[in-house]
Amino acid sequence: MEALPYLRSKPLLTALAALAAVVGLGAGPASAAGAAPRPAAAAAHTLPAGSRFFVDPGSKAAAQALTDLKAGRLKDALTMAELASWPVAQWFNGTAAPATTTHDMAVLQAKAALAHQVPVAVAYNIPGRDCAQYSAGGAATSADYAAWINALAAGIGSHRTVVVLEPDGLALSPAYCGGTAQQQTDRLDQLNAAVDRLEQQPGALVYLDGGHSAWQNVGTQAQLLLQAGVSRAQGFFLNVSNYQTDADLTRYGTEVAQCTWYLQHTAGASADDCANQYWPAADADAWYAAHVPAGVPLPHFVIDSSRNGQGPWTPAAGTYTGDPQTWCNPPGRGLGTRPTADTGVPLLDAFLWIKVPGESDGSCTRGTAGPADPEYGSTDPAAGVWWPAQALGLARTAAPALRFNLAPFD
């Protein structure tokens, strides 16, 4: 299962971590999650607060650290090694045959098991993915998608694994991007079947797309989640590839979770009934206190904090006459809260780095003729392509400031 390449790559980050400690460029205390005992070997349908997430020594950031080191860019190399020391999700995007998908997932599981860590896997292959935008693609048919999900599940086996199921799969489902009613029905059927298949794996923790706090209304998103099978999953994820703040996302996620209970258990309930993210906070809290009993089981959620350290980007007034594409490679953003399952919030299972920091969102033109992105004066890399300058920028403007994660080396 490629254990030897994994073990050979680990000394690079160990050496760079030690070097940073010596020169004082970032060594710091281990994260709260790293200091906790390792999870039990037996997988379970829970995500303990002490869970350690998988750190890939062969990541793109690790490779960039080596490239910078060989070029004599010591400070850049150390910054990239700091970034590479933190866990990031691995994306499965349907480009491989089912048998290869099973093998690749099994390799990820083997690597994570060697490190006593929990892998985070993104399933990103739904038919009609990304509404035919920068990350368009996906399986050709529902049958193809079901076969691919089955292959992915087979590779997971019995290991505890966080599965991020289809970013944008609900918030940007066909009903919200010009699709037909049949396409929306197909999307919901595909996600329901995927939830059921993945949840057969005893350690799989499946999270569905919850969008983010500046997107769908709370009630709309709660209804979509119910239609896609969230009651049979662990919960939902927020903010993948976006920049909303932890505070806004935590409130939004809590309200969405509460709204799902209200819609399920209240005769004649409508999605528009639920207090939403635009209500005054005190009024929303009072509404949920009156309509959702304390202590009832609710879906949990996770937050992608990979790029929200500086919050969302708002260009200066008058900068653009067209769509400024605030979601697409916005300038001046930073890494956010470090990945951890010790959140202190009962419904919030984890902060995760789901979007790979340093991978482009696409070639943004912000309503101009292009092809250059006016914020950078050059053409952005295609979606998913590694962008060293962006990775460095995110690391250098991280909030909190980036430090080495020493947990993988203890």
Side-chain angles (χ1 to χ4, degrees):
M1 293 284 185
E2 298 183 6
L4 287 178
Y6 171 85
L7 293 174
R8 282 198 296 267
S9 61
K10 193 167 184 176
L12 168 63
L13 292 185
T14 306
L16 286 168
L19 178 59
V22 170
V23 300
L25 288 177
S31 68
R38 291 173 176 172
H45 253 61
T46 59
L47 189 61
S51 298
R52 291 180 176 181
F53 299 111
F54 174 61
V55 178
D56 184 4
S59 68
K60 293 179 180 179
Q64 187 65 48
L66 183 58
T67 297
D68 290 337
L69 188 63
K70 289 179 177 178
R73 298 187 293 267
L74 180 58
K75 187 175 180 181
D76 291 353
L78 290 170
T79 299
M80 286 296 94
E82 287 173 338
L83 174 56
S85 73
W86 291 95
V88 176
Q90 180 167 326
W91 288 59
F92 292 81
N93 58 15
T95 56
T100 304
T101 296
T102 298
H103 172 266
D104 291 346
M105 175 60 81
V107 168
L108 173 62
Q109 298 295 341
K111 291 178 179 180
L114 280 173
H116 303 281
Q117 295 170 342
V118 176
V120 179
V122 181
Y124 194 51
N125 191 33
I126 198 84
R129 185 178 69 197
D130 197 34
C131 200
Q133 297 186 102
Y134 289 134
S135 297
T141 67
S142 293
D144 289 342
Y145 184 64
W148 182 80
I149 287 290
N150 185 64
L152 202 69
I156 291 173
S158 61
H159 301 284
R160 183 184 286 123
T161 304
V162 172
V163 182
V164 175
L165 182 59
E166 300 299 343
D168 295 340
L170 285 172
L172 193 61
S173 52
Y176 301 96
C177 65
T180 66
Q182 185 59 54
Q183 287 173 325
Q184 183 69 9
T185 297
D186 291 344
R187 172 64 58 86
L188 296 173
D189 289 346
Q190 290 155 1
L191 289 172
N192 272 281
V195 167
D196 288 340
R197 176 61 189 92
L198 290 163
E199 285 284 349
Q200 291 177 20
Q201 307 309 124
L205 300 164
V206 181
Y207 297 87
L208 284 158
D209 175 37
H212 60 70
S213 54
W215 200 347
Q216 300 288 4
N217 187 292
V218 164
T220 298
Q221 192 62 54
Q223 187 66 62
L224 285 167
L225 285 164
L226 288 171
Q227 292 171 341
V230 73
S231 59
R232 305 188 309 282
Q234 177 73 1
F236 55 95
F237 57 84
L238 300 173
N239 203 49
V240 169
S241 300
N242 213 272
Y243 304 86
Q244 308 307 310
T245 66
D246 291 349
D248 285 349
L249 292 163
T250 300
R251 169 167 285 279
Y252 179 74
T254 301
E255 291 179 357
V256 168
Q258 292 172 316
C259 184
T260 63
W261 188 95
Y262 172 80
L263 293 175
Q264 281 185 300
H265 294 89
T266 307
S270 166
D272 291 337
D273 296 342
C274 290
N276 63 53
Q277 66 268 43
Y278 305 111
W279 285 35
D283 292 349
D285 291 345
W287 190 92
Y288 284 108
H291 291 87
V292 180
V296 295
L298 298 173
H300 289 208
F301 59 96
V302 296
I303 288 174
D304 182 0
S305 57
S306 60
R307 305 189 298 179
N308 72 344
Q310 301 295 335
W313 173 59
T314 303
T319 303
Y320 299 106
T321 56
D323 180 6
Q325 297 179 301
T326 57
W327 57 271
C328 191
N329 298 326
R333 304 306 91 195
L335 304 169
T337 301
R338 306 300 175 258
T340 178
D342 188 8
T343 70
V345 179
L347 293 180
L348 176 54
D349 283 350
F351 291 100
L352 301 171
W353 286 1
I354 298 174
K355 169 71 176 183
V356 178
E359 287 189 357
S360 175
D361 294 319
S363 299
C364 321
T365 58
R366 311 191 193 282
T368 68
D373 182 339
E375 288 299 318
Y376 300 97
S378 60
T379 302
D380 303 344
V385 172
W386 179 251
W387 190 357
Q390 187 193 72
L392 277 172
L394 290 169
R396 288 174 175 165
T397 55
L402 187 60
R403 295 290 185 266
F404 263 98
N405 172 27
L406 299 181
F409 311 108
D410 63 11

